[in-house]
Amino acid sequence: MSPDNTSSPDASSLHWVFGYGSLIYKVDFPFVQCAHASITGWARRFWQGSHDHRGTPSAPGRVVTLIPQARARCRGVAYQVEQQVFEHLDFREKNGYQRRSLPIRLEPCGAQVSGTAYVAETANHAFLGDAPLVEMARHILRCAGPSGSNRDYLLQLADALRMIGEEDEHVLELAAAVLEQSMGKEC
């Protein structure tokens, strides 16, 4: 991945943002640098409703959020951005997500930086919570919104995670269940 801009901004105006969902593969904002990264104490889960991107208000899709989980490690991508990028990200992540400050470990150097992740807490209006894997797969298969099908979101995320060497069991099992159910519909 390479930055969209070539200027050298003042270091005091730069901030790290941790991407663990579509921010890994849909980078529609300028950044100064990026690195594979991880956070600890958080797990990626398809427990957030999407009324505005991968679903509609009457049929929200399922997208990822971060859930506190002791000793968990979530890998993704960290982007160093200028302050004004948050205006775009705040709009993009508006459906129940809030900025949360947390430590991010950059790879492969292991440096720890302070950063921000967009987290949809359990009390937000669009939170769907846990469900059996088969039920979540069915839900994902029937939803679509202005940004495309919920199925594509899941499969693009699974591919992006594989590309950064992340074997997220929750995402990969859900992707396999969606593909299995998709095959059943085609027969």
Side-chain angles (χ1 to χ4, degrees):
M1 293 180 205
S2 63
D4 291 346
N5 58 10
T6 56
S7 63
S8 297
D10 175 19
S12 66
S13 70
L14 298 177
H15 306 275
W16 286 97
V17 175
F18 181 70
Y20 59 92
S22 64
L23 289 181
I24 296 174
Y25 66 85
K26 185 181 179 197
V27 185
D28 60 354
F29 53 90
F31 59 90
V32 176
Q33 61 178 319
C34 70
H36 294 177
S38 62
I39 57 174
T40 56
W42 296 92
R44 180 181 9 245
R45 294 290 181 262
F46 268 83
W47 292 2
Q48 176 65 7
S50 175
H51 301 90
D52 58 343
H53 288 293
R54 298 300 177 154
T56 63
S58 61
R62 277 190 175 265
V63 292
V64 290
T65 187
L66 294 172
I67 302 298
Q69 184 179 338
R71 295 182 300 280
R73 180 172 163 253
C74 179
R75 291 188 67 224
V77 177
Y79 302 93
Q80 191 178 47
V81 299
E82 293 187 66
Q83 180 65 37
Q84 64 265 25
V85 170
F86 283 107
E87 184 176 334
H88 169 73
L89 293 176
D90 287 349
F91 181 77
R92 177 174 162 173
E93 305 297 325
K94 68 184 180 287
N95 194 46
Y97 291 89
Q98 299 292 317
R99 290 189 212 173
R100 181 163 188 132
S101 297
L102 42 73
I104 302 169
R105 183 159 310 279
L106 303 178
E107 299 173 3
C109 68
Q112 185 167 302
V113 297
S114 295
T116 299
Y118 284 85
V119 178
E121 303 283 342
T122 58
N124 85 81
H125 70 282
F127 191 78
L128 297 173
D130 195 7
L133 187 72
V134 171
E135 184 180 313
M136 283 194 287
R138 277 191 212 116
H139 184 145
I140 288 168
L141 276 170
R142 70 177 177 260
C143 291
S147 296
S149 77
N150 202 180
R151 177 186 186 272
D152 288 350
Y153 170 89
L154 166 61
L155 298 179
Q156 287 173 319
L157 177 57
D159 287 345
L161 291 173
R162 284 185 197 102
M163 288 184 69
I164 66 169
E166 175 65 357
E167 296 291 324
D168 186 305
E169 186 177 315
H170 174 75
V171 174
L172 295 178
E173 286 180 358
L174 189 52
V178 162
L179 289 172
E180 183 178 317
Q181 288 186 24
S182 294
M183 296 299 287
K185 287 184 173 186
E186 292 174 6
C187 297

